[in-house]
Amino acid sequence: MSIERAMDILRKYPLCNHCLGRLFARLGTGLDNEERGRAIKDYLLMRIHERILNEGLSDELLNDIKALAMSGHEPSIKFLSNMGINVSPVKCYVCGDNIFTRLNEWADNIANSLRSLGIEFRSFRLGSKVPLDILSRELSITTEFNVSSAESIKREINRELGKRVSAILGVPFNREEPDVEVVIDINTGSVETQVMPIYILARYRKVHRLVNGEGQVRWPIDRVMQAYGAKDVVIHTGGEDPMGTRVLGNGRPVILQVIRPSKRPGINDVYALLRDSDYDIMLDNLSRVRASAVIRMKARVRDYVITYRVLAITDNPVTDDNIKSLRDYFRNRQVVQVFRRGRRVRRRVSMVYELDGRVVRGRLVEFLVRCQGNLYIRGFVHGGFGDVEPSIAGTLGFGIRPIEVDILGISD
Ligand SMILES: [Zn+2]
């Protein structure tokens, strides 16, 4: 938009330097909106002055200077008072009582609120609640004058407050991944803070066989809470382990969501606290991730490739021929599991990529099954009363019961 349009706008709406400057936010890099608005008003006054010198004073030019003066432009106020005309500035049409004069006060409030959290943080994000009438007046001007280069008042307030708070606390402003978030209500001046969780991606191994259900599994959560001075830790696992299953090898992906951390130690310090403990869960390969990693991990679970070791007892003796035919049959074989709930029937399709087995002793057989992450492994072994098709039991033609299931590896 051409600077000349600024005069059209000011004739109709008195705007403070900030609110005028924002409309021309694309012009003059290196200027803040206040300086930009002020420069535009200076320029407009000089243009008018030039015309007065060339054409003489007219009502039109006098009214334009009055409009500039009303918007609080000091040189225009002085220009008029030299002519014996007194004009007092009026409220800015958009922001009213020039809310920008209160930035320092608000920045102090925000800094105090953040300090009073009593926690360690290395970055913050700042937002503001701007009264709707201000936003709608701003919108009415950009619509009426078809301004496409404008910056929003919210953005300017956030940036200006962010700069100030950052300077007070010596902590950078971070939009993407802040340690804390603060929102100020411009109307009331009240400040709300939120300590952002920390997300840690790890691999866990479950080295003991627990038969009392997954609720009994002792995670080193208290150690993690201690490391971060946190209020709680939420565990997000990439899939679930069949009951009583050990998780060996490279382990299963897990993301720990550390709630309201008050300390931010490095990953190595956390890892040191987790070592030599007698929990059922061992955590390894710790790294910091973003919140979005939880959703990404959950979305990939069905495509994990899991290698199971299953120890099973069969009703009849198993021969080498049996093993060979199982091995040949279950090569990239699709397995369908049917779930019945009332009248509803749901089917889950999983791939078995590879199967091998050996007779341990008598009717004790060990199988290695490499399959898709969503395969119901016990059902695949015993056939699930006909609900898993094909299964090891169905293929053998006699009963087989899994007695131990271990995960030897997960590739995700
Ligand atoms: Zn304003």
Side-chain angles (χ1 to χ4, degrees):
M1 184 171 66
S2 126
I3 292 183
E4 314 299 332
R5 296 299 302 282
M7 197 62 240
D8 296 338
I9 298 170
L10 289 175
R11 275 186 202 118
K12 209 166 166 191
Y13 304 106
L15 297 179
C16 71
N17 292 344
H18 285 272
C19 293
L20 180 67
R22 267 200 321 282
L23 296 175
F24 298 88
R26 291 215 191 119
L27 301 179
T29 42
L31 294 177
D32 65 27
N33 288 324
E34 211 278 328
E35 292 164 335
R36 187 176 292 114
R38 161 83 194 225
I40 291 170
K41 290 176 186 177
D42 288 345
Y43 167 78
L44 291 172
L45 177 63
M46 289 189 278
R47 285 290 305 260
I48 297 165
H49 197 174
E50 190 181 32
R51 284 184 62 192
I52 292 173
L53 295 176
N54 293 338
E55 314 161 12
L57 184 63
S58 63
D59 280 353
E60 182 207 338
L61 295 174
L62 186 61
N63 285 336
D64 282 355
I65 305 178
K66 282 183 184 166
L68 282 169
M70 276 164 64
S71 77
H73 188 231
E74 285 296 334
S76 297
I77 294 172
K78 242 180 232 158
F79 192 98
L80 290 172
S81 88
N82 288 342
M83 296 167 65
I85 304 170
N86 285 318
V87 172
S88 317
V90 298
K91 276 186 188 177
C92 172
Y93 174 75
V94 171
C95 72
D97 290 322
N98 200 346
I99 56 177
F100 293 95
T101 56
R102 301 187 62 193
L103 288 175
N104 288 335
E105 174 199 333
W106 288 332
D108 282 337
N109 288 351
I110 291 169
N112 288 337
S113 302
L114 289 175
R115 278 197 197 108
S116 69
L117 286 171
I119 64 154
E120 187 187 328
F121 61 95
R122 299 203 184 111
S123 62
F124 69 94
R125 175 164 59 206
L126 191 149
S128 55
K129 285 183 192 157
V130 176
L132 274 180
D133 55 323
I134 290 184
L135 296 177
S136 72
R137 287 197 298 269
E138 174 177 67
L139 183 66
S140 74
I141 290 188
T142 52
T143 313
E144 181 178 346
F145 292 90
N146 196 18
V147 186
S148 57
S149 58
E151 181 189 32
S152 75
I153 189 165
K154 222 179 153 100
R155 235 184 106 166
E156 183 180 13
I157 290 173
N158 293 349
R159 192 187 51 245
E160 291 299 322
L161 284 175
K163 263 196 289 194
R164 285 166 173 77
V165 173
S166 181
I168 297 171
L169 298 174
V171 168
F173 187 65
N174 179 348
R175 243 174 234 110
E176 296 293 315
E177 258 188 304
D179 290 349
V180 290
E181 192 173 73
V182 58
V183 176
I184 180 162
D185 186 330
I186 293 307
N187 217 13
T188 61
S190 67
V191 176
E192 275 171 47
T193 53
Q194 198 190 344
V195 181
M196 306 307 273
I198 291 176
Y199 293 86
I200 301 161
L201 173 66
R203 309 284 299 203
Y204 75 82
R205 283 176 300 141
K206 204 181 280 177
V207 288
H208 307 130
R209 190 180 308 286
L210 295 150
V211 288
N212 298 331
E214 295 301 307
Q216 303 295 312
V217 178
R218 290 170 307 132
W219 286 74
I221 290 312
D222 48 345
R223 293 277 177 105
V224 177
M225 281 170 59
Q226 183 195 338
Y228 287 99
K231 213 167 151 188
D232 199 2
V233 171
V234 180
I235 303 167
H236 306 275
T237 57
E240 279 167 33
D241 305 320
M243 219 206 327
T245 305
R246 289 186 299 177
V247 182
L248 309 170
N250 63 344
R252 186 185 286 277
V254 60
I255 294 176
L256 303 176
Q257 182 183 358
V258 181
I259 309 287
R260 209 184 186 284
S262 62
K263 291 184 276 182
R264 296 187 178 257
I267 281 292
N268 288 338
D269 298 332
V270 178
Y271 189 57
L273 265 176
L274 295 176
R275 239 173 272 153
D276 60 83
S277 57
D278 61 344
Y279 297 92
D280 301 318
I281 294 287
M282 319 259 286
L283 291 171
D284 275 305
N285 289 68
L286 277 63
S287 65
R288 280 284 299 271
V289 288
R290 295 188 178 202
S292 57
V294 176
I295 294 166
R296 276 207 311 280
M297 178 183 73
K298 297 273 182 194
R300 275 206 309 266
V301 169
R302 54 162 294 151
D303 295 322
Y304 285 179
V305 176
I306 299 185
T307 304
Y308 286 104
R309 167 191 169 268
V310 181
L311 198 63
I313 292 185
T314 56
D315 288 353
N316 296 342
V318 172
T319 63
D320 286 349
D321 278 354
N322 288 141
I323 299 278
K324 187 184 178 310
S325 57
L326 285 172
R327 194 190 296 136
D328 292 343
Y329 186 66
F330 287 106
R331 188 167 291 277
N332 295 325
R333 179 69 59 178
Q334 210 173 57
V335 173
V336 178
Q337 183 184 1
V338 178
F339 298 88
R340 296 167 211 281
R341 190 161 291 159
R343 276 200 187 153
R344 276 193 53 204
V345 175
R346 207 158 55 79
R347 299 152 66 82
R348 181 163 68 189
V349 176
S350 323
M351 288 300 293
V352 170
Y353 302 111
E354 225 179 329
L355 181 151
D356 202 356
R358 70 181 178 100
V359 177
V360 179
R361 184 167 13 97
R363 290 183 292 115
L364 194 61
V365 188
E366 184 188 62
F367 291 104
L368 290 180
V369 182
R370 203 164 66 83
C371 60
Q372 201 178 340
N374 64 352
L375 179 77
Y376 167 39
I377 185 70
R378 288 175 192 276
F380 170 66
V381 175
H382 61 55
F385 306 105
D387 284 345
V388 182
E389 204 27 67
S391 65
I392 294 181
T395 310
L396 285 172
F398 48 79
I400 170 167
R401 273 171 298 125
I403 50 175
E404 278 182 15
V405 178
D406 291 328
I407 290 173
L408 300 188
I410 297 179
S411 52
D412 56 300

